[in-house]
Amino acid sequence: MDSEDRGRVLDPAQDGAALKALTHPLRLTLLGLLRQHGPATASELAVRTGESSASTSYHLRVLAKYAFVAEADHRDSRERRWKSVHDVTSWSNEAMRASPGGSVILSVLHRRQIEHLQQSLDRHEADLDSGRLGEEWQEPSGVSDLLPRLTPESLAELWEVFRAKTAELTARDAEDPRAEQVVLFTAGLPLAPEATDAGEGS
């Protein structure tokens, strides 16, 4: 995949239908599988997801309609193979919340990501317990819930530093045979101060 094709930024004003298409849980699952494991047929994806090939085929066509997936090179002429067009899909949160229905779509997408986190945690623990992942992965793996106090500018800077460092390390480890697929979740969710009871005495 060419470097310029690695990311796709969706504009809620023009790509509302595409964003809505992503809210379907199976479509997000199929897109994630193609990004993680590479090209596959509807039948192969049906086996992975426990869905029928008719269902995966239909949802792949919907993803293709909105340019999230495209036909890949076929091993033979009997069945289509599909590939993800981009590695990452992103959008402006501000633009999303300003668009009709955007807040609802954003909320659904965030909750789909939380579901993915739970599935990834289950698989990670099973891979460690079964020995499919070596002991060297136990210490660096984990989930963190830090609570720093940051300004909006600092939070934006933190995201940029994180993305840049992730890209740097990914490039460095690209040819290392010890490298494994890492599911890396991040969240920056500012919280307003909790309201106090005005009637409460001191």
Side-chain angles (χ1 to χ4, degrees):
M1 183 177 296
D2 295 335
S3 59
E4 62 267 22
D5 292 333
R6 295 183 67 85
R8 177 184 179 187
V9 180
L10 295 176
D11 178 359
Q14 304 197 13
D15 301 315
L19 281 162
K20 188 174 181 180
L22 278 186
T23 62
H24 192 286
L26 181 54
R27 289 175 203 153
L28 273 180
T29 298
L30 295 174
L31 184 58
L33 288 171
L34 292 175
R35 287 177 174 175
Q36 185 173 1
H37 301 290
T41 66
S43 295
E44 290 168 343
L45 292 168
V47 172
R48 283 185 172 273
T49 59
E51 299 284 339
S52 69
S53 57
S55 178
T56 56
S57 180
Y58 167 76
H59 288 294
L60 284 166
R61 291 197 301 273
V62 174
L63 289 170
K65 176 182 177 180
Y66 295 109
F68 292 111
V69 305
E71 287 193 46
D73 293 335
H74 303 315
R75 292 174 180 165
D76 55 48
S77 59
R78 289 178 296 176
E79 194 170 11
R80 287 179 174 179
R81 290 178 63 77
W82 298 92
K83 65 179 180 180
S84 172
V85 177
H86 306 92
D87 286 349
V88 178
T89 305
S90 61
W91 49 80
S92 163
N93 287 337
E94 183 178 3
M96 282 284 282
R97 293 194 180 279
S99 65
S103 293
V104 174
I105 293 175
L106 193 58
S107 179
V108 171
L109 291 172
H110 283 164
R111 279 154 180 74
R112 295 280 180 259
Q113 290 174 311
I114 296 300
E115 291 171 7
H116 185 204
L117 172 59
Q118 181 63 62
Q119 294 165 359
S120 299
L121 177 59
D122 293 343
R123 177 178 167 184
H124 165 74
E125 292 175 341
D127 286 345
L128 283 175
D129 291 343
S130 67
R132 288 191 296 270
L133 279 177
E135 293 183 358
E136 69 274 13
W137 287 103
Q138 292 189 27
E139 194 62 34
S141 304
V143 179
S144 175
D145 57 352
L146 300 176
L147 295 170
R149 292 182 61 84
L150 301 172
T151 64
E153 295 78 14
S154 293
L155 181 55
E157 181 181 342
L158 182 59
W159 279 114
E160 289 303 315
V161 170
F162 176 81
R163 292 186 187 105
K165 191 63 178 181
T166 302
E168 174 193 332
L169 296 177
T170 299
R172 188 184 74 183
D173 293 349
E175 304 303 324
D176 193 323
R178 298 174 304 132
E180 299 283 3
Q181 184 82 55
V182 175
V183 180
L184 194 60
F185 282 86
T186 54
L189 306 173
L191 304 175
E194 293 185 4
T196 58
D197 188 349
E200 184 178 356
S202 57

